[in-house]
Amino acid sequence: MSLSDTDKARVKALWAKVQPKAAEIGAEALGRMLVVYPQTKAYFSHWGTDLNVNHPQVQKHGGVIMAGVTRGVKYIDDLTAGLSALSELHAFKLRVDPGNFKILAHNLILVIASFFPADFTPEVHLSFDKFLMRLSFALSERYR
């Protein structure tokens, strides 16, 4: 699933609107993932048991996640190279199940759509979903 020039333009335009609220959106998406998909809490057990959007570590890490997505937008033409270090970190040090990238992507789409309903048209949804799937694939590169 490749990204057309139109897809890339849509992703960049949406991201320009998302970026000022990136930390808040990231925390909301991560918090939702941890509540809705409790198996993902295993990677964050050192933060405690009451993990939700209001937890300080969830809020902080939401910003970290969104910085990674911002890096993906910056390297949209070569996500594998642009996210190589993050892929290596998640594969070898953190040992995160790569399936969780898709779960987080789903939650990002949901939260961004709720923050920007007028901007999140079906066409933008399609382009952003394609981008997040390619980003997830790039993050999974070191697992192969």
Side-chain angles (χ1 to χ4, degrees):
M1 177 180 318
S2 63
L3 292 171
S4 68
D5 289 340
T6 301
D7 290 324
K8 293 174 189 177
R10 287 178 186 148
V11 168
K12 289 176 182 179
L14 178 64
W15 202 251
K17 294 180 180 191
V18 167
Q19 205 155 16
K21 296 181 179 236
E24 182 182 359
I25 290 169
E28 177 73 25
L30 178 59
R32 281 177 173 268
M33 181 183 81
L34 294 170
V35 170
V36 177
Y37 302 93
Q39 72 273 18
T40 61
K41 289 181 182 180
Y43 301 100
F44 305 102
S45 60
H46 56 286
W47 291 351
T49 57
D50 188 27
L51 299 179
N52 60 59
V53 70
N54 296 315
H55 192 282
Q57 292 290 73
V58 170
Q59 291 181 348
K60 181 179 175 185
H61 197 64
V64 171
I65 289 167
M66 295 302 270
V69 179
T70 297
R71 184 169 177 80
V73 172
K74 179 179 177 182
Y75 291 97
I76 199 165
D77 291 316
D78 192 357
L79 287 166
T80 301
L83 299 175
S84 178
L86 282 175
S87 177
E88 191 162 319
L89 172 70
H90 285 83
F92 299 122
K93 184 175 180 188
L94 302 175
R95 300 185 185 271
V96 173
D97 178 346
N100 289 333
F101 301 140
K102 291 178 183 177
I103 294 172
L104 183 59
H106 169 75
N107 282 278
L108 277 173
I109 286 174
L110 190 103
V111 173
I112 291 170
S114 72
F115 270 68
F116 302 98
D119 299 302
F120 210 79
T121 64
E123 296 79 14
V124 170
H125 182 171
L126 174 62
S127 295
F128 199 67
D129 186 49
K130 286 168 61 175
F131 165 71
L132 288 177
M133 289 305 101
R134 301 216 10 112
L135 187 140
S136 296
F137 186 77
L139 285 174
S140 301
E141 181 66 25
R142 297 290 188 191
Y143 292 80
R144 292 183 267 283

